[in-house]
Amino acid sequence: MNVLVTGGAGYVGSHAVAILRAAGHDAWVIDNLSRGHKSAVPADRFVEGDLADRPLLKRLLREHRIDAVMHFAAHSQVGESMVNPAIYYENNITNSISLLEAMRDCRVWRIVFSSSAAVYGQPETMPIVEDTLKQPINPYGFSKLAVEQALDDYARAYGFGFAALRYFNAAGAAADGALGEDHAVESHLIPLILEVALGQRESIKIFGNDYPTPDGTCVRDYIHVDDLGRAHLAALERLERGKGMKMNLGVGHGFSVREVVEACRRETGHPIPTQSAPRREGDPPVLVADPSRARELLSWRPQFADIGAIVATAWRWHREHPDGYESTKLAAE
């Protein structure tokens, strides 16, 4: 297929592009580079642009005979969404509608949407199944749920075929070391810990040590970024007009903050000092997926189920790219 990947220069999007190309699909990328990296995608398949530019979207869809869209272009920082919700409503919701309307005008009916476990809020029952009540507690989670609702309506009214894939904690880097995680403001646990091993910060803060978990720290379900990409590919190949799929993408078991720190210590050989800090408001004790539906509908199983294996790929990337994609630029000069 010819696939347009929105936000394809970002973390998960760039890994999905590589997996699409390896599977024989032709992937075109549109990204405004506000948070993505041009060097993360093939130069001859990259277009710098914004989803608010509907004429550009329609031109790309028509010129490249696009068969389907993978939609990753979204802001994704929970804390930022609380202090600046406007950009989440505009970028994540309004621009997604712009994309859907461009697709409708060009008669492109298939879309795989990057959703999030944030649509559930703070459920009390674990593991989380897809029918769990949706009660997002921040604008980021609400924005993802709003687009899922739009996709339901576009499938019913216009015959769209879609998959909404609800990620848990994306982690790791491409197994071949070519791609990795590089955010201007890092908020993900594993890269923050690895910055300590690289000497870029003195210690890692552990927010809360009195949760009702085995070691008192929060437990999360970490899913490798390449496993996410493979799930997108499997969903793309199973889309049907007028039908939608919604499913969790996770490993199905969690690791505590302390377990992740220990895994990073083992992989890096660094002591990685920690500091105890108060709980952060809104952090649930445990968030773990039930990925049964993805296994059933997509015949998909994560290849990276162990936190040590996930950390190993991340450590390779960060060790070889201590300044992120800027390291790649410097090496080329």
Side-chain angles (χ1 to χ4, degrees):
M1 298 183 200
N2 297 325
V3 184
L4 181 64
V5 183
T6 73
Y11 175 40
V12 182
S14 61
H15 287 74
V17 168
I19 287 169
L20 280 168
R21 288 167 61 86
H25 299 291
D26 195 3
W28 290 84
V29 172
I30 180 170
D31 197 299
N32 65 11
L33 297 182
S34 63
R35 307 190 181 194
H37 303 275
K38 188 175 180 179
S39 54
V41 294
D44 64 347
R45 288 295 185 271
F46 174 75
V47 176
E48 185 172 352
D50 196 274
L51 298 191
D53 188 347
R54 197 177 301 176
L56 173 61
L57 288 173
K58 291 163 68 171
R59 178 171 64 80
L60 292 175
L61 292 167
R62 288 177 174 141
E63 284 186 1
H64 302 303
R65 300 178 182 273
I66 297 299
D67 300 300
V69 171
M70 283 190 182
H71 181 27
F72 298 94
H75 296 327
S76 60
Q77 302 296 327
V78 168
E80 180 186 56
S81 80
M82 295 295 288
V83 299
N84 193 5
I87 64 172
Y88 281 74
Y89 289 114
E90 181 177 19
N91 187 56
N92 293 13
I93 300 178
T94 303
N95 285 355
S96 292
I97 301 304
S98 176
L99 171 65
L100 293 177
E101 283 298 280
M103 291 174 63
R104 190 158 71 97
D105 287 344
C106 297
R107 303 184 66 78
V108 177
W109 309 112
R110 289 178 282 195
I111 182 169
V112 181
F113 173 55
S114 167
S115 191
S116 169
V119 301
Y120 297 112
Q122 298 185 37
E124 297 180 358
T125 303
M126 296 292 147
I128 300 170
V129 297
E130 287 81 2
D131 294 334
T132 297
L133 188 64
K134 316 302 180 295
Q135 292 182 312
I137 60 172
N138 50 65
Y140 167 64
F142 177 79
S143 73
K144 292 294 187 179
L145 186 59
V147 176
E148 285 194 16
Q149 180 61 56
L151 289 170
D152 279 330
D153 294 335
Y154 273 64
R156 175 188 53 78
Y158 309 126
F160 273 55
F162 76 88
L165 306 182
R166 297 168 180 161
Y167 308 172
F168 279 65
N169 285 51
D176 63 4
L179 301 168
E181 189 168 8
D182 181 5
H183 301 120
V185 179
E186 188 55 71
S187 63
H188 291 178
L189 179 61
I190 291 174
L192 289 173
I193 297 172
L194 296 179
E195 286 179 5
V196 180
L198 290 169
Q200 295 172 339
R201 63 175 63 231
E202 293 184 359
S203 62
I204 189 72
K205 288 184 178 180
I206 296 180
F207 295 96
N209 58 14
D210 58 350
Y211 285 97
T213 61
D215 65 17
T217 64
C218 288
V219 172
R220 296 291 184 266
D221 189 329
Y222 292 88
I223 178 72
H224 193 276
V225 65
D226 276 348
D227 285 327
L228 289 176
R230 282 185 281 270
H232 282 74
L233 174 62
L236 173 72
E237 294 173 344
R238 288 165 173 78
L239 296 179
E240 296 182 49
R241 285 207 60 177
K243 296 182 180 180
M245 301 181 286
K246 299 177 183 179
M247 63 198 78
N248 296 330
L249 295 183
V251 173
H253 57 263
F255 297 92
S256 73
V257 174
R258 291 197 186 281
E259 287 175 321
V260 176
V261 171
E262 286 300 324
C264 291
R265 286 170 174 158
R266 290 193 301 270
E267 294 298 328
T268 65
H270 192 282
I272 306 179
T274 62
Q275 291 183 15
S276 294
R279 291 187 184 190
R280 294 180 299 193
E281 185 179 357
D283 268 351
V286 180
L287 288 176
V288 174
D290 179 343
S292 301
R293 184 179 292 181
R295 287 199 299 265
E296 177 185 349
L297 297 181
L298 305 182
S299 300
W300 169 86
R301 282 175 172 75
Q303 295 182 11
F304 294 86
D306 178 70
I307 193 63
I310 293 173
V311 167
T313 64
W315 177 233
R316 176 181 178 182
W317 161 259
H318 288 284
R319 188 177 65 245
E320 296 177 0
H321 303 82
D323 297 310
Y325 284 102
E326 190 64 29
S327 300
T328 305
K329 295 178 187 175
L330 293 172
E333 292 176 353

